[in-house]
């Protein structure tokens, strides 16, 4: 159907990108700033379902949104609201309209610590790497963290998160989890802090049609880490530890726990980022998953208007039905490149390509996927 939808999307995009500048007068609201944005992308996907069937198609993705930010003294607030429209050229039954919103609050008391909290909702329609098909879900996320220093060097941290993934696609369960935890902080310097934390996190799948698997579990995570300026021009965080997953039906699994994200400003125009993680997760297919991932990326500004970036990544996933043996093991190599050109203060154009090679013990999960994208972004 989609030529009509694509035409409508293009028309809406053109109208928005033309009339938005006239709304610039409403950009200041109280002590905050309101920005209007729009993204128009053309994507050619060689494997829209993310499995061995390799169905390919062209799509138009249009994402208008509003962004609000406000800072008063020590308190900062940001909020975003928008909708993502996807229209395919040939494939039927996969067009989608996905709204989203989020709000974040933070208060920085410098020497005494900080407070941060956030909540977000996104309707997500995408090729799901766990489920090997396109799925639709309502995703709710929330988090909160308090850092309090009761002396010049030492303090405490309290943190919490929650997740609800409500799947509208038939044949899959809903995933729910929350985490409560805390620990101790040691301020080595004004720019570097060490931490030692513990958190408790129950995870469950509800409304699952998979009767022979119950991955519901209680998770215990202990970690030590460091965050801030690790070296001159080297910033980020590194956290290592141990996670133990205790299943409701009996039995347990343990794994090395890793969460790391480090950025290096190699020069005024070039920066590198290394991220790595390992943790447990629970899938809507009623499986327990251990996921390890790492990505190395580089960004370079050729001119004041043109920037290029590239990335290399690797992901390893093991899936268990509980009780039962490993039912699937995946290894993926992921490559990507982007180019961004600033047309003026309000518009920029971009081109991107992402290539994924997924090798698996399950035939359906043995596939390659390449996504080519051309886009125009506007912000006022």
């Amino acid at each position: 159907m989609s030529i009509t939808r694509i035409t409508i999307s293009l028309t809406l995009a053109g109208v928005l990108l033309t009339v938005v500048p006239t709304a610039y007068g409403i950009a200041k609201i109280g002590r905050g700033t309101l920005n209007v944005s729009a993204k128009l992308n053309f994507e050619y996907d060689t494997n829209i379902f993310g499995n061995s069937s390799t169905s390919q198609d062209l799509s138009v993705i249009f994402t208008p949104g509003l962004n609000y930010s406000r800072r008063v003294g020590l308190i900062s607030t940001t909020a975003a609201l928008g909708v993502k429209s996807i229209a395919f050229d040939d494939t039927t039954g996969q067009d989608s309209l996905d709204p989203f919103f989020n709000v974040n609050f933070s208060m920085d008391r410098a020497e005494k610590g900080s407070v941060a909290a956030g909540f977000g909702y996104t309707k997500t329609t995408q090729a799901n790497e766990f489920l090997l098909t396109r799925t639709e879900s309502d995703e709710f996320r929330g988090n909160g963290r308090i850092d309090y220093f009761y002396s010049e060097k030492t303090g405490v941290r309290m943190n919490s998160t929650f997740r609800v993934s409500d799947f509208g696609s038939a044949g899959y369960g809903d995933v729910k989890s929350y985490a409560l935890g805390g620990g101790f902080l040691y301020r080595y310097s004004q720019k570097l802090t060490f931490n030692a934390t513990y958190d408790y996190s129950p995870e469950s799948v509800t409304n699952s049609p998979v009767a022979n698997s119950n991955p519901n579990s209680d998770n215990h995570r202990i970690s030590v880490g460091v965050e801030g300026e690790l070296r001159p021009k080297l910033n980020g965080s590194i956290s290592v530890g141990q996670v133990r997953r205790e299943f409701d039906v009996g039995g347990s699994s343990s794994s090395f726990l890793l969460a790391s994200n480090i950025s290096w400003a190699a020069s005024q125009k070039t920066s590198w980022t290394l991220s790595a993680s390992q943790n447990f997760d629970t899938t809507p297919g009623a499986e327990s998953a251990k996921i390890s991932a790492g990505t190395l990326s580089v960004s370079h500004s050729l001119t004041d208007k043109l920037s290029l970036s590239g990335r290399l990544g690797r992901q390893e996933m093991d899936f268990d039905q509980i009780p039962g043996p490993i039912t699937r093991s995946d290894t993926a190599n992921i490559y990507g490149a982007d180019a961004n050109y600033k047309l003026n203060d309000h518009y920029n154009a971009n081109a991107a390509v992402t290539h994924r090679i997924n090798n698996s013990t399950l035939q359906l999960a043995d596939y390659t996927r390449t996504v080519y994208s051309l886009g125009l972004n506007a912000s006022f």
Side-chain angles (χ1 to χ4, degrees), residues 36-257:
V36 180
S37 64
K39 299 179 181 180
L40 179 63
N41 281 78
F42 296 87
E43 283 193 358
Y44 178 72
D45 192 336
T46 65
N47 193 339
I48 66 170
F49 293 101
N51 60 40
S52 59
S53 66
T54 62
S55 299
Q56 55 191 358
D57 205 350
L58 173 70
S59 65
V60 173
I61 304 172
F62 178 49
T63 311
L66 297 172
N67 299 275
Y68 179 75
S69 61
R70 175 178 175 175
R71 183 176 181 89
V72 180
L74 303 176
I75 301 174
S76 298
T77 305
T78 62
L81 171 70
V83 62
K84 181 179 181 180
S85 171
I86 306 176
F88 285 94
D89 187 25
D90 292 326
T91 309
T92 59
Q94 296 300 324
D95 295 351
S96 62
L97 199 64
D98 298 343
F100 62 87
F101 76 86
N102 62 73
V103 59
N104 294 280
F105 161 87
S106 65
M107 180 174 66
D108 189 351
R109 296 192 61 196
E111 299 295 326
K112 285 296 183 180
S114 61
V115 178
F119 174 79
Y121 162 77
T122 304
K123 182 180 178 182
T124 302
T125 306
Q126 63 180 7
N128 191 298
E129 296 167 1
F130 294 168
L131 304 176
L132 304 173
T133 189
R134 291 186 65 82
T135 59
E136 178 185 296
S137 63
D138 293 305
E139 302 288 337
F140 300 87
R141 299 288 189 274
N143 64 83
R145 191 174 83 177
I146 299 173
D147 289 350
Y148 174 69
F149 285 88
Y150 51 81
S151 72
E152 181 183 357
K153 292 288 187 179
T154 55
V156 294
R157 169 171 292 172
M158 294 173 284
N159 55 268
S160 64
T161 63
F162 81 87
R163 164 199 177 187
V164 176
S165 298
D166 188 355
F167 275 76
S169 301
Y172 306 110
D174 305 321
V175 181
K176 299 179 181 179
S177 69
Y178 70 87
L180 297 172
F184 297 96
L185 303 173
Y186 176 74
R187 182 183 284 146
Y188 179 79
S189 69
Q190 291 297 320
K191 297 181 179 181
L192 192 65
T193 301
F194 291 88
N195 62 72
T197 61
Y198 163 82
D199 74 62
Y200 166 71
S201 173
E203 294 187 12
S204 63
V205 177
T206 59
N207 305 317
S208 173
V210 184
N212 62 344
S213 181
N214 179 7
N216 298 353
S217 63
D218 292 332
N219 299 273
H220 305 269
R221 298 179 178 89
I222 299 175
S223 65
V224 294
V226 60
E227 56 198 51
E229 186 179 73
L230 306 174
R231 295 285 301 272
K233 298 184 178 182
L234 189 68
N235 294 274
S237 62
I238 303 172
S239 177
V240 297
Q242 187 79 6
V243 54
R244 179 176 175 83
R245 168 163 281 198
E246 299 176 348
F247 297 103
D248 291 0
V249 297
S252 64
S253 294
S254 296
S255 175
F256 177 68
L257 181 67

Side-chain angles (χ1 to χ4, degrees), residues 288-339:
S288 175
K290 186 176 82 169
I291 302 173
S292 307
T295 302
L296 176 65
S297 60
V298 59
S299 178
H300 179 72
S301 297
L302 289 176
T303 68
D304 291 340
K305 293 187 175 183
L306 178 62
S307 62
L308 304 176
S309 63
R311 58 195 174 278
L312 303 173
R314 184 175 176 86
Q315 185 181 57
E316 296 182 359
M317 301 184 290
D318 292 327
F319 300 88
D320 280 286
Q321 286 191 336
I322 305 298
I326 292 177
T327 55
R328 173 181 150 206
S329 294
D330 287 19
T331 301
N333 294 313
I334 305 163
Y335 313 93
D338 304 77

